[in-house]
Amino acid sequence: MPSANALMFDTWSVISLWTAIIVYVLAFVCYAVDLAKRSDASIRQKDRELVAAGGTTSAGGAATAVLERDSAPVPHTNNVMGRIGTTLTAIAFLLHLAATILRGIGAGRVPWSNMYEFAMTSTLLFTAVYLGVLFWRDLRYVGAFMTGLVAVLLGAAALPAIYTEIVPLADPLKSAWLVIHVFVASLATAFMGLAFALSVLQLFQTGRERRVREDASRGEKRSLLRTVPNADELESLAYRVAIIGFIFWTFTLIAGSIWAQDAWGRYWGFDTKEVWTFIIWVLYAGYIHARATRGWRGTRSAWLSIVGFAAVLFNFTIVNMFFEGLHAYSGIS
């Protein structure tokens, strides 16, 4: 039974967490409105370009100009809602961070020993990676996806079916590897999640670019995708982010084996969690290798990234909840 102080910290953690979820939802709404404004921006830009081209697209030369025009990104200048969304995301992150820290203080340990705590920490890192990358590259066009994903995952984890009260650590978890192994796995998941978002957007952008090529004489009437990078650039970004995630996941796999030796006297035992961790590593290794050496570009590359992250979600949800094994520390009875 947790102490009164532990219960107090956990209560404030839950309050902070639900407040963060509400702010994430507000950020999602702002980003969604920003996406709608991107669509309007592409309309205005198209009208300006048609006037500059003489107002016609019937001739072959004009059709080529339309193809080039509709394939090029349009600057998104009316981005007030995007900036508000980013500010709200930063506020939600601070509330989320407070909830995680309060949970750790109440538990007297790192806050990632069960499924509820892992979801809290991993989604925190999702947001941290997204906000961190914004200093390097403007990725607000995936802001709705990232905040929506975090809100859904965090909200699901906070429901009574998954929420777990503070309990003492199981003996195998009383190790320094709990701090290292699980944190790095969470960080790897965050980078893979961002790569996943970029890959999904890449598929939509590829479809748009194909439609533009097939009917170059008519052009587009409305598309928010005109204000984001082209499919090749999105693919390159997803690939670079996935490599970072893969490096962290490789460390996760190695660290997990060392921890297994300390806890159970063997490096590998074909436990369900171990097998799925290795499957995820193989999927991302195949994705990186195929794209780098065999020229798997375009939609095939994007689908490999998406399948890889689907396996990550399966590993941290279905495997945790429904599969028996030595890693059954979800906290769900």
Side-chain angles (χ1 to χ4, degrees):
M1 185 71 182
S3 66
N5 281 338
L7 289 173
M8 181 191 68
F9 280 114
D10 190 39
T11 299
W12 282 107
S13 172
V14 171
I15 293 172
S16 183
L17 189 69
W18 278 107
T19 306
I21 292 170
I22 292 171
V23 180
Y24 276 127
V25 172
L26 293 175
F28 167 79
V29 171
C30 290
Y31 278 130
V33 172
D34 181 63
L35 288 177
K37 288 183 177 294
R38 288 174 181 270
S39 180
D40 292 337
S42 71
I43 283 281
R44 293 190 294 271
Q45 180 72 4
K46 177 184 176 182
D47 291 342
R48 287 193 294 268
E49 289 166 343
L50 283 173
V51 171
T56 179
T57 58
S58 58
T64 301
V66 170
L67 176 59
E68 294 175 351
R69 180 200 71 206
D70 283 344
S71 297
V74 171
H76 179 48
T77 55
N78 186 16
N79 56 3
V80 174
M81 294 305 292
R83 293 198 298 270
I84 294 173
T86 303
T87 301
L88 288 173
T89 302
I91 294 171
F93 171 77
L94 293 176
L95 289 165
H96 194 167
L97 178 63
T100 307
I101 292 173
L102 288 169
R103 175 75 177 198
I105 294 173
R109 52 170 170 74
V110 290
W112 51 73
S113 69
N114 53 55
M115 189 171 173
Y116 166 70
E117 294 175 353
F118 179 82
M120 183 190 300
T121 303
S122 60
T123 50
L124 177 71
L125 292 176
F126 269 49
T127 308
V129 167
Y130 167 68
L131 291 174
V133 172
L134 286 182
F135 287 100
W136 166 61
R137 189 71 173 264
D138 185 1
L139 297 183
R140 283 177 290 187
Y141 49 81
V142 295
F145 185 95
M146 296 300 290
T147 53
L149 180 63
V150 169
V152 169
L153 293 177
L154 199 56
L159 292 175
I162 297 179
Y163 168 77
T164 306
E165 291 185 351
I166 293 174
V167 294
L169 284 177
D171 288 339
L173 296 180
K174 295 176 180 178
S175 168
W177 287 110
L178 174 65
V179 180
I180 302 169
H181 170 70
V182 181
F183 179 80
V184 174
S186 302
L187 193 57
T189 303
F191 280 101
M192 291 170 176
L194 181 56
F196 168 68
L198 291 167
S199 295
V200 171
L201 193 58
Q202 175 198 336
L203 289 180
F204 284 111
Q205 186 69 291
T206 299
R208 168 191 164 268
E209 291 173 357
R210 182 174 61 250
R211 290 191 296 272
V212 170
R213 287 193 298 268
E214 290 173 352
D215 196 359
S217 63
R218 181 168 57 87
E220 294 179 295
K221 291 184 178 180
R222 178 183 293 268
S223 177
L224 60 90
L225 294 173
R226 282 202 67 202
T227 62
V228 304
N230 60 40
D232 288 341
E233 188 171 351
L234 290 170
E235 180 183 354
S236 178
L237 284 170
Y239 178 66
R240 282 181 279 175
V241 172
I243 287 176
I244 298 173
F246 176 73
I247 293 170
F248 285 126
W249 195 259
T250 301
F251 179 85
T252 298
L253 187 64
I254 295 171
S257 297
I258 297 172
W259 189 6
Q261 171 64 24
D262 291 341
W264 301 309
R266 88 290 188 281
Y267 290 101
W268 186 263
F270 289 96
D271 182 72
T272 307
K273 194 77 170 179
E274 295 171 344
V275 170
W276 270 100
T277 301
F278 181 69
I279 288 173
I280 293 166
W281 185 88
V282 170
L283 287 171
Y284 276 96
Y287 160 61
I288 293 170
H289 177 75
R291 189 184 183 281
T293 63
R294 299 188 62 83
W296 272 42
R297 304 294 176 92
T299 56
R300 291 187 297 181
S301 172
W303 277 113
L304 280 174
S305 173
I306 291 168
V307 169
F309 189 68
V312 171
L313 291 180
F314 183 86
N315 185 39
F316 291 119
T317 54
I318 304 302
V319 172
N320 279 351
M321 292 188 290
F322 300 110
F323 286 79
E324 296 294 334
L326 293 174
H327 290 78
Y329 303 122
S330 67
I332 302 174
S333 57

